[in-house]
Amino acid sequence: MSYHSGTIHTVRFSSNGRYLASGADDKIVCVYTLDPNPPSHASSFGTNEPPPVENWRIFRRLIGHENDVQDLGWSYDSSILVSVGLDSKVVIWSGYTFEKLKTLSSHQSHVKGLAFDPANKYFATASDDRTIKIVRFTPPAPNATAHDQMNNFVVETTIQAPFTSSPLTTYFRRCSWAPDGLHIAAANAVNGPVSSVAIITRGTWDGDINLIGHEAPVEVCAFSPRLYGKDPPDTANQDNSGHSTQNLITVIACAGQDRALSIWQTSNPRPLLITQELAGKAISDLAWGPSGRHLFMTSLDGSVIALVFEEGDLGYVMGVGDIEQALVKYGGSRRGAAMVEGTESLLLEEKSRVGEIKGVEGRMGELMGDNSSNSVKVTVNGTSAQVNGSASHSAMEVDRDPARTQARANVPTTDPNVAKLERLKQRVTITKDGKKRIAPLLVTASAGAAESSLPNSQLMTTSDTPGSRNEGPQNILDMSLPFDGLPPGGLSGLLLGNKRKIAVNEGDSNGKVERQLDRASRSGATPVVVNGVDGLHPAQIQAQPHGQQPTPEFLRPAVVSASLTVAQIRLMVPKVRSLILRNHDSYGNPAITTEVDGTPLAQPVPVDTVLEVKNPTGVASTGRPQDRDPTRISVTRRGQSLWQDFLPKSVLLVTGTQDMWAAACEDGTLHIWTPAGRRLINAMVLDAQPVILESKGPWLLCVTAVGMCHVWNVKAFSSPHPPISLGPILEIATHTLGALPTGAPALTSARLNSKGHIIATLSNGDGYTYSPAMYAWQRLSEVWWAVGSQYWNSTDSSVGAVQSLDQQNGTLSRERDLVNVSAGIIPHLERRTTTECLVKGRAYYLQRLVKSLLSREGYEGFESAISVGHLENRLAAALELEAKEEFRLYLQMYAKRLGAEGLKSKVEELLKSLLGGIFRDTNATNGESDQSQKETSQLGAERGWDGNRKHRDLQRITVPYAKVLGVLDDHGVDTDEPMTL
């Protein structure tokens, strides 16, 4: 079947076996049905495929997604079909008419997994926003429409605890629901630093159980559709109803990116089966046979693998009745016969059923023409008209006397519109002074004598059949007859009446009073009367405000420099705020007391020192507009004032550490004080207004509005490099040299590490640092690694839980404990890239490109090369930032990967770079073998390669280095201590 124009991601049979649904890259869901007639065509021309055995033809093409369809699912009664995709939408289709019933947009990112509750009450969706949504629903009726299901399909709960740091590099998140309805298996979960499968319990919806063992993220989980027992089913272990009395267990299969398959039981904490490298690439889907003894899997390498289990391998398969018995406690079964949850549900179902029956009978009667001879009275411009019968003078009865009907037919009829038009004519009168006046025609909603030619709705009689109803128009507007226009004020005047909004005096037709009131209100005068819905009413006297009034968030925009008009880079200058506060703890670090969204922390950092800046507000004390009061700067510690100073200009930004305080003003000057308040240096004049002001230890960073970055060491009174421009990393040349200029990425943050290196992040997700030795920007993080690397966003790459060597050995170093030496910078940049690109969906087309390259000829080692390159990028970044703990962790990961890949040349080159080579003259001097090189060498030599057992060639390289380091001497062959190589 070749009805899709893109890659097919999912194929699902309906529970009743009648339909087959498929979803693909072409954003379409195809539904097929089995034709009992034999296939009319043989195999495709030019292929060796056998001819089709069954004739599946397309039945419906469902269009409702704006992006790839990732997964499908049928409810267990086949009443609905649910599809999810990369457009972050969950679309529910009717399983009978395949009409779109509802679209859920509760997820914030790609939806990649779906699972249905066997009790037919919930379904679960898994998304890249690191949540699982549990949606509660009631199976719709066969004739249900989208309007009927407005209050159906409600999100019951959101589960996010097991997925807070799960990677976003998986293609799927296929979850599965246990056949007894008790658990949900969620793929791509994490448990600390390792990948896992979260087992979520029904009702409490917590994921305390985890299946741990896979080395890479798990993409697909599948529960077996049958329950199992330890003993074969027999009358000895069955009750009178034929249900088993054993403790029944479930079986689940898990697979993912590590190309391994694991099978688990609920009664065993360890897996029953683990198979390695079943396929050439990641396993994308799993499916169990109905008997529970067959398992099928598909891989990205195009293969389909089938596993057959012998009787008793997984346990003994129980009957379907045991599954029905297990689902009864949840109020449902596979047959869809749901148990009512209260008497109110019974009453609502009964009323709904009666209304549906009446509606169907009425529509069928009208279609069959049962009541076509009955007279129906309609209204034409407020008058009665005859339609398929005689006219009726009464609105509530039908005159069936033929004699009276004949007598009325002989009476000559007159047009009622003539008399009506005569009454509606305007009356013209002449005053004493000879002027003509037209009498107004009152139009009110309550006047019974007033008439209008607008359509007048009246009660009417229908046919005598109780169940029938007339769905034709009750009012007919004849455009050939005259009718009244809308009254003054339009439709609102017709509905609410014309109420006088302003006091118009006798003879004040030009609105003089209205203009006087408007001028008075504009000049600030206190109004005597105000306009309301019901007209004029006395104004309420407002009390004068007392006490301190809340100040605005900012006072005014800053005065920008004239150099910005011709600058190549223009960054937004902060606005002048009336009050600036900077809180610090006892160690000089910023004291964070709230979350990013403003909510207070559960355990906030205690505030020790507060820097407070008050910019002048209002008019200066001299009264002249060109004068301004000075800005006051004060520092307090635990409520006691330490020092105070004043500046002539308004302050935009402030920062501080244990070694200094700094403030940047709107005139482009920078002032620095010691912790005691002594001015450290003269005011430094910058090239433009400050935009970012950050500090770390003795280092100070200031980014100006023209994109220049200044870095100083205030202790040494020096700068590691001249001011550098942000132009190269903002890609200005790329965005301005084209035919049409396009928007360049924006600067989102700029910080310093403890070594004085600039760390900058952009809105496109890239992270950069400036190398003072190379005089160039270096890209540390980018979306290319996020899409193609297997190590991106993995939990084992985080250095947040890594402690220093002194702490691991039991000796705490106060300096290393208080000042974190660059730890976590690389993971921080990668998290920013994930947030800006993957979570927000900006890397969609790059993901499509990488996905297509994985299956293309000539790119077999594409993913491996990208992953190794990503680790090398991390190593180089850690060396540049002088982050020892991060370098140690990434070096270990890199060494393991080289051993697994068997890259002999890279292993030898890495060892030489770490140890400087061992076949070298000991008397020769090497300028690079300083103390830092020795420390790095010892750090890299402590780790070995696990891949030696697979690649014996690596032993010829590692053994000489092990001898030099004394590893072989310390771990003798006769000792019981393990030797790591």
Side-chain angles (χ1 to χ4, degrees):
M1 297 181 291
S2 302
Y3 296 101
H4 283 288
S5 60
T7 304
I8 299 176
H9 290 162
T10 176
V11 178
R12 297 288 184 266
F13 278 99
S14 62
S15 302
N16 55 16
R18 183 178 177 183
Y19 299 109
L20 173 66
S22 63
D25 278 353
D26 56 3
K27 315 172 189 177
I28 297 176
V29 177
C30 292
V31 180
Y32 312 89
T33 183
L34 181 60
D35 192 344
N37 299 322
S40 59
H41 60 281
S43 60
S44 301
F45 178 76
T47 63
N48 296 327
E49 297 180 358
V53 179
E54 296 180 339
N55 187 13
W56 287 87
R57 58 180 180 83
I58 192 167
F59 183 70
R60 290 286 190 275
R61 292 171 62 92
L62 310 180
I63 301 176
H65 284 277
E66 300 174 359
N67 212 325
D68 300 359
V69 179
Q70 289 292 101
D71 205 358
L72 297 170
W74 295 84
S75 61
Y76 278 89
D77 59 353
S78 301
S79 60
I80 59 173
L81 169 67
V82 179
S83 59
V84 299
L86 298 184
D87 56 357
S88 307
K89 294 181 180 179
V90 180
V91 184
I92 298 108
W93 313 86
S94 171
Y96 305 100
T97 61
F98 295 100
E99 177 188 356
K100 184 193 295 184
L101 298 180
K102 197 171 185 179
T103 300
L104 302 178
S105 301
S106 55
H107 283 289
Q108 305 300 320
S109 187
H110 310 323
V111 188
K112 297 182 176 180
L114 174 69
F116 264 94
D117 173 24
N120 226 37
K121 288 185 175 292
Y122 302 99
F123 65 83
T125 57
S127 170
D128 269 353
D129 59 4
R130 295 182 171 129
T131 62
I132 284 185
K133 305 283 186 182
I134 306 297
V135 182
R136 184 183 182 94
F137 74 97
T138 301
N143 59 346
T145 61
H147 180 74
D148 303 334
Q149 305 301 312
M150 290 180 61
N151 297 325
N152 200 358
F153 307 105
V154 180
V155 177
E156 180 83 2
T157 184
T158 301
I159 305 168
Q160 55 185 0
F163 317 101
T164 53
S165 58
S166 63
L168 303 177
T169 56
T170 57
Y171 293 140
F172 304 101
R173 289 176 180 255
R174 303 193 195 274
C175 48
S176 180
W177 212 304
D180 58 355
L182 182 59
H183 297 105
I184 304 174
N188 200 10
V190 290
N191 184 7
V194 296
S195 299
S196 67
V197 177
I199 304 298
I200 301 170
T201 306
R202 184 193 187 104
T204 59
W205 310 113
D206 54 1
D208 298 335
I209 306 174
N210 289 274
L211 306 181
I212 302 174
H214 285 267
E215 298 178 356
V218 178
E219 295 193 8
V220 55
C221 306
F223 272 104
S224 173
R226 305 295 289 271
L227 295 176
Y228 298 83
K230 294 184 178 180
D231 301 323
D234 194 4
T235 55
N237 52 28
Q238 292 180 349
D239 56 10
N240 298 330
S241 302
H243 298 143
S244 177
T245 57
Q246 305 181 58
N247 291 328
L248 303 183
I249 57 178
T250 56
V251 176
I252 179 176
C254 308
Q257 292 184 354
D258 56 357
R259 301 172 294 173
L261 172 69
S262 62
I263 298 180
W264 306 70
Q265 275 185 349
T266 54
S267 62
N268 194 347
R270 295 183 177 275
L272 293 178
L273 172 67
I274 297 178
T275 59
Q276 298 287 344
E277 298 182 357
L278 276 179
K281 292 186 179 180
I283 298 175
S284 59
D285 205 355
L286 296 172
W288 286 87
S291 63
R293 294 175 54 188
H294 300 82
L295 178 62
F296 303 89
M297 65 183 68
T298 60
S299 173
L300 293 180
D301 60 0
S303 61
V304 178
I305 305 171
L307 280 75
V308 180
F309 300 95
E310 298 293 337
E311 182 70 23
D313 288 347
L314 306 176
Y316 294 93
V317 180
M318 298 291 105
V320 181
D322 295 317
I323 302 178
E324 301 286 345
Q325 181 68 18
L327 295 176
V328 167
K329 59 184 176 182
Y330 302 123
S333 66
R334 288 183 183 271
R335 298 188 181 94
M339 181 183 297
V340 295
E341 300 179 357
T343 56
E344 293 82 2
S345 300
L346 284 175
L347 294 176
L348 290 176
E349 290 179 7
E350 187 66 24
K351 290 183 179 180
S352 177
R353 189 179 298 109
V354 172
E356 290 179 0
I357 293 175
K358 286 185 178 181
V360 172
E361 290 178 354
R363 288 192 294 269
M364 291 300 296
E366 292 170 1
L367 292 175
M368 299 302 293
D370 295 340
N371 303 314
S372 58
S373 61
N374 296 331
S375 61
V376 179
K377 182 169 119 10
V378 298
T379 305
V380 179
N381 289 0
T383 61
S384 61
Q386 179 180 346
V387 179
N388 293 336
S390 59
S392 174
H393 292 277
S394 176
M396 299 300 297
E397 65 177 0
V398 179
D399 195 353
R400 300 183 180 277
D401 191 352
R404 286 186 293 176
T405 302
Q406 182 65 26
R408 285 197 300 267
N410 296 330
V411 177
T413 59
T414 58
D415 189 1
N417 292 317
V418 176
K420 182 180 179 181
L421 291 176
E422 186 66 25
R423 291 193 301 271
L424 294 178
K425 285 183 178 180
Q426 293 179 334
R427 302 293 189 268
V428 180
T429 58
I430 300 176
T431 60
K432 295 180 180 180
D433 53 0
K435 297 182 179 179
K436 293 183 179 181
R437 291 288 184 268
I438 299 178
L441 179 64
L442 298 179
V443 180
T444 59
S446 60
E451 299 184 14
S452 175
S453 60
L454 290 175
N456 184 19
S457 301
Q458 299 178 359
L459 294 175
M460 55 169 292
T461 59
T462 57
S463 60
D464 295 336
T465 305
S468 62
R469 62 180 181 180
N470 182 25
E471 296 185 354
Q474 304 299 322
N475 301 316
I476 301 177
L477 182 61
D478 191 354
M479 299 303 296
S480 63
L481 300 177
F483 63 97
D484 293 337
L486 293 176
L491 185 59
S492 61
L494 176 64
L495 298 177
L496 303 177
N498 290 323
K499 297 179 181 180
R500 308 183 74 181
K501 301 295 182 182
I502 192 82
V504 180
N505 296 330
E506 189 73 24
D508 185 22
S509 58
N510 55 0
K512 180 179 179 182
V513 177
E514 182 177 0
R515 290 196 298 272
Q516 289 177 354
L517 286 177
D518 182 62
R519 286 195 300 268
S521 61
R522 290 184 180 181
S523 62
T526 302
V528 179
V529 293
V530 294
N531 284 328
V533 178
D534 298 328
L536 288 174
H537 56 82
Q540 298 293 331
I541 304 301
Q542 301 292 334
Q544 295 294 331
H546 298 283
Q548 183 179 2
Q549 298 300 313
T551 57
E553 185 178 0
F554 60 89
L555 298 176
R556 54 179 174 79
V559 179
V560 298
S561 174
S563 60
L564 289 178
T565 58
V566 294
Q568 187 182 23
I569 304 174
R570 302 180 186 179
L571 302 181
M572 183 178 295
V573 180
K575 296 181 179 180
V576 179
R577 291 171 288 176
S578 59
L579 180 64
I580 304 176
L581 294 177
R582 180 88 176 190
N583 300 328
H584 288 263
D585 58 11
S586 57
Y587 303 112
N589 300 321
I592 302 175
T593 58
T594 59
E595 298 283 357
V596 179
D597 55 356
T599 58
L601 291 173
Q603 296 181 350
V605 178
V607 178
D608 181 76
T609 308
V610 178
L611 171 64
E612 183 180 9
V613 177
K614 289 186 177 181
N615 288 316
T617 59
V619 184
S621 302
T622 59
R624 300 196 311 166
Q626 61 269 27
D627 295 338
R628 293 180 183 175
D629 291 339
T631 298
R632 186 177 65 179
I633 302 176
S634 60
V635 177
T636 58
R637 175 176 292 172
R638 301 186 186 95
Q640 300 294 327
S641 177
L642 296 181
W643 58 271
Q644 189 177 18
D645 202 350
F646 296 88
L647 295 177
K649 301 294 182 181
S650 298
V651 175
L652 297 180
L653 301 170
V654 294
T655 186
T657 62
Q658 253 185 334
D659 304 316
M660 63 173 172
W661 298 100
C665 299
E666 69 171 337
D667 61 344
T669 57
L670 183 65
H671 304 264
I672 303 176
W673 296 268
T674 62
R678 181 173 56 89
R679 287 183 178 265
L680 193 60
I681 57 176
N682 298 329
M684 293 189 295
V685 181
L686 305 176
D687 47 2
Q689 279 74 22
V691 173
I692 296 176
L693 188 65
E694 291 288 339
S695 58
K696 185 72 173 180
W699 299 97
L700 180 62
L701 166 68
C702 182
V703 181
T704 63
V706 293
M708 299 300 295
C709 300
H710 303 260
V711 180
W712 303 279
N713 188 331
V714 296
K715 280 189 174 181
F717 297 94
S718 63
S719 178
H721 51 76
I724 56 173
S725 175
L726 293 172
I729 66 174
L730 293 178
E731 303 177 4
I732 294 179
T734 305
H735 291 77
T736 56
L737 294 181
L740 297 175
T742 58
L747 180 69
T748 56
S749 68
R751 300 181 180 180
L752 287 172
N753 72 341
S754 58
K755 301 298 181 179
H757 294 277
I758 304 175
I759 310 297
T761 60
L762 303 183
S763 59
N764 61 358
D766 293 349
Y768 296 85
T769 185
Y770 185 79
S771 175
M774 304 292 292
Y775 294 100
W777 288 97
Q778 295 182 7
R779 184 185 291 113
L780 305 185
S781 176
E782 59 180 322
V783 68
W784 174 254
W785 307 122
V787 175
S789 174
Q790 296 175 343
Y791 294 94
W792 183 265
N793 205 27
S794 57
T795 54
D796 57 352
S797 66
S798 176
V799 298
V802 178
Q803 298 178 349
S804 63
L805 295 177
D806 297 336
Q807 295 175 357
Q808 293 176 2
N809 296 332
T811 61
L812 295 177
S813 174
R814 177 173 179 84
E815 182 180 359
R816 295 178 61 87
D817 185 51
L818 302 183
V819 182
N820 194 3
V821 186
S822 302
I825 292 181
I826 301 175
H828 167 73
L829 295 178
E830 292 186 354
R831 286 193 296 268
R832 292 297 297 265
T833 304
T834 300
T835 302
E836 294 291 340
C837 298
L838 297 184
V839 175
K840 296 182 179 180
R842 297 178 179 174
Y844 167 71
Y845 291 103
L846 187 57
Q847 286 178 324
R848 291 286 301 271
L849 173 63
V850 173
K851 184 178 177 181
S852 62
L853 291 178
L854 290 177
S855 58
R856 187 180 299 178
E857 184 178 0
Y859 291 86
E860 290 78 12
F862 176 79
E863 192 172 14
S864 176
I866 296 299
S867 301
V868 173
H870 181 213
L871 291 178
E872 294 170 352
N873 183 78
R874 283 178 170 179
L875 281 175
L879 285 176
E880 177 63 33
L881 298 175
E882 303 180 43
K884 182 178 179 180
E885 302 299 331
E886 294 182 62
F887 180 80
R888 178 184 299 274
L889 179 63
Y890 297 145
L891 180 60
Q892 180 182 1
M893 298 170 60
Y894 182 59
K896 289 183 178 180
R897 185 57 184 253
L898 292 183
E901 296 288 343
L903 302 177
K904 177 181 176 182
S905 58
K906 287 191 175 183
V907 169
E908 186 175 4
E909 193 176 65
L910 177 63
L911 290 173
K912 287 183 177 180
S913 63
L914 292 176
L915 296 181
I918 60 175
F919 303 106
R920 184 178 299 176
D921 188 5
T922 56
N923 296 326
T925 59
N926 186 3
E928 299 178 356
S929 57
D930 52 4
Q931 182 64 27
S932 62
Q933 180 69 20
K934 293 179 181 179
E935 183 180 0
T936 305
S937 303
Q938 182 181 1
L939 175 64
E942 290 177 355
R943 305 299 178 184
W945 276 266
D946 297 335
N948 286 346
R949 301 180 182 91
K950 297 182 179 179
H951 304 279
R952 296 295 181 182
D953 294 342
L954 296 180
Q955 290 183 349
R956 303 189 189 98
I957 303 174
T958 57
V959 168
Y961 288 87
K963 290 180 179 180
V964 172
L965 295 175
V967 177
L968 297 179
D969 298 334
D970 297 338
H971 300 79
V973 179
D974 298 331
T975 60
D976 297 334
E977 297 181 3
M979 181 174 61
T980 303
L981 284 179

